[in-house]
């Protein structure tokens, strides 16, 4: 158990950040899944910029690695172009 007031606060703030990161990561994964499932080019083209922004935000906040974000964006761009 933490002995200092600042350590207790750090534990609380880390938990809040963990929950926020978990929510954003799961939301982004669901958006990627929805984009991959899209069969209409117009729907996929509308959804693509939003998903890219979500991936960039996760990479900026170190929730996922920047290379993983770039790989996902590249694969999704190929998918949208192939529709």
């Amino acid at each position: 158990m933490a002995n200092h007031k600042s350590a207790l606060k750090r534990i609380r703030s880390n938990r809040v950040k963990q929950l926020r990161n978990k929510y954003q990561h799961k939301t982004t994964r669901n958006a990627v899944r929805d984009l991959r499932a899209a069969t209409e080019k117009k729907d996929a083209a509308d959804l693509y910029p939003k998903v890219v922004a979500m991936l960039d935000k996760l990479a900026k906040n170190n929730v996922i690695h920047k290379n993983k974000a770039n790989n996902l964006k590249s694969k999704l761009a190929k998918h949208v172009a192939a529709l």
Side-chain angles (χ1 to χ4, degrees):
M1 186 62 196
N3 292 322
H4 296 282
K5 209 172 190 181
S6 61
L8 292 171
K9 181 177 178 182
R10 178 59 68 188
I11 290 168
R12 288 194 310 269
S13 65
N14 284 345
R15 179 68 177 152
V16 170
K17 289 175 187 176
Q18 177 195 15
L19 291 173
R20 185 185 319 121
N21 288 340
K22 187 176 172 183
Y23 172 78
Q24 290 175 344
H25 195 187
K26 183 65 176 175
T27 304
T28 304
R29 286 198 307 262
N30 287 339
V32 168
R33 184 190 66 205
D34 293 343
L35 179 57
R36 283 193 179 128
T39 55
E40 297 293 322
K41 184 169 180 88
K42 184 181 183 313
D43 296 337
D46 291 341
L47 195 56
Y48 179 72
K50 295 173 186 157
V51 174
V52 167
M54 294 168 89
L55 288 169
D56 287 337
K57 188 171 183 181
L58 287 181
K60 182 183 82 171
N61 294 331
N62 291 321
V63 177
I64 62 174
H65 197 275
K66 65 177 184 174
N67 289 353
K68 180 179 176 71
N70 288 337
N71 286 335
L72 284 170
K73 290 189 296 186
S74 174
K75 288 176 183 173
L76 291 173
K78 283 183 183 178
H79 173 70
V80 171
L83 289 177

